[in-house]
Amino acid sequence: MNWASLQGLLSGVNKYSTALGRIWLSVVFIFRVLVFVVAAEDVWDDEQKDFVCNTKQPGCPNVCYDEFFPVSHVRLWALQLILVTCPSLLVVMHVAYREERERRHRLKHGPNAPSLYDNPSKKRGGLWWTYLLSLIFKAAVDSGFLYTFHRLYQGHYDMPRVVACSQAPCPHTVDCYISRPTEKRVFTYFMVATAVICILLNLSEVAYLVGKRCLEIVGPRRHRSRRRSRLHDSCPPYALSQGDHPQDGNSVLMKASSAEVDAGGYP
């Protein structure tokens, strides 16, 4: 595995993520990808070769293995990790698209032309929606794979040492032995737990982004309404008196709250 490319990918995605997004990336790349590559693959490397049944009937071990392991754990986790990390790359691609568009705008209209974006990497407009949808997609992928894993293995995350099989062409009920069941049990629980943690982090980041956006929209409106209320209280309406005018023809201004005015007296 090319660790330099992995480090570059991590730093590139990290640059456009929130604090919760950086925690999610650390959990994915350190506790899921690295554990999967360094340890989990080796634990399941001999899963079919060392799946031994107490019979010499040809085809019986293969049929029994397919019954208890319809999909290999490592292949299922590999597909899950690929799908769950792709949405983060969409955010990087969206930022790169903005930067390229800004560059072409400068070349066409000159270096002093107004910018299309205040900050191409700032999560506003389309980039905000891309980031939000990527979080929802990642949480949905992890949830979907956990449900698939639960359905395939009937909710049994424990790894038994011996399984009984009576599928044809086995002549009778035979016992089959799983290789390294304790190690596989530990890694199964670990991968499921880290997937649940990632789902919670994604949902927390969705709540954070939506809540922050709502505050940015509601805050200025509330500030403007309060400002209007203060101006209305501090500047009461004035009325032009329509009684006897002084000889010089000047009108007398008086507060409506202190004097009764005739109809049509407001300016």
Side-chain angles (χ1 to χ4, degrees), residues 41-242:
E41 280 188 319
D42 293 335
V43 172
W44 266 270
D45 186 48
D46 58 353
E47 57 178 337
Q48 189 168 5
K49 181 182 66 175
D50 292 342
F51 185 83
V52 181
C53 298
N54 58 356
T55 181
K56 296 295 185 178
Q57 179 68 34
C60 181
N62 291 335
V63 172
C64 293
Y65 178 83
D66 184 68
E67 180 185 0
F68 291 101
F69 298 100
V71 179
S72 174
H73 287 60
V74 289
R75 293 177 182 86
L76 193 66
W77 291 336
L79 182 61
Q80 180 181 3
L81 290 173
I82 291 171
L83 292 179
V84 86
T85 52
C86 285
S88 298
L89 300 180
L90 293 177
V91 177
V92 178
M93 293 170 61
H94 196 149
V95 174
Y97 164 75
R98 281 187 164 191
E99 292 174 348
E100 179 63 18
R101 188 181 176 192
E102 185 71 31
R103 186 185 68 82
R104 292 183 180 181
H105 177 74
R106 296 283 184 180
L107 289 176
K108 183 177 180 180
H109 299 283
N112 296 325
S115 300
L116 295 176
Y117 309 100
D118 295 335
N119 185 359
S121 62
K122 193 172 183 180
K123 289 182 281 295
R124 289 292 184 273
L127 184 59
W128 187 86
W129 283 106
T130 300
Y131 194 88
L132 183 68
L133 292 177
S134 71
L135 295 175
I136 296 174
F137 182 80
K138 288 185 287 189
V141 166
D142 274 331
S143 301
F145 271 91
L146 287 179
Y147 177 76
T148 303
F149 191 83
H150 174 80
R151 293 289 296 177
L152 286 175
Y153 296 100
Q154 303 299 321
H156 299 299
Y157 300 126
D158 200 3
M159 196 68 61
R161 290 180 171 85
V162 183
V163 292
C165 176
S166 59
Q167 296 293 322
C170 298
H172 50 80
T173 301
V174 298
D175 292 331
C176 297
Y177 303 89
I178 299 175
S179 64
R180 295 192 277 191
T182 304
E183 282 186 88
K184 291 178 179 178
R185 183 188 307 122
V186 170
F187 278 102
T188 300
Y189 280 118
F190 182 83
M191 296 300 284
V192 170
T194 51
V196 172
I197 292 173
C198 288
I199 293 173
L200 294 177
L201 287 172
N202 286 326
L203 295 179
S204 300
E205 194 170 6
V206 168
Y208 168 76
L209 287 176
V210 173
K212 183 179 179 181
R213 186 61 178 164
C214 290
L215 289 177
E216 290 176 354
I217 295 174
V218 175
R221 293 180 180 176
R222 186 178 300 175
H223 178 73
R224 286 195 296 268
S225 62
R226 289 178 179 176
R227 186 177 179 184
R228 290 196 206 99
S229 177
R230 287 197 299 267
L231 288 174
H232 180 75
D233 294 339
S234 59
C235 301
Y238 283 83
L240 180 65
S241 66
Q242 297 193 5

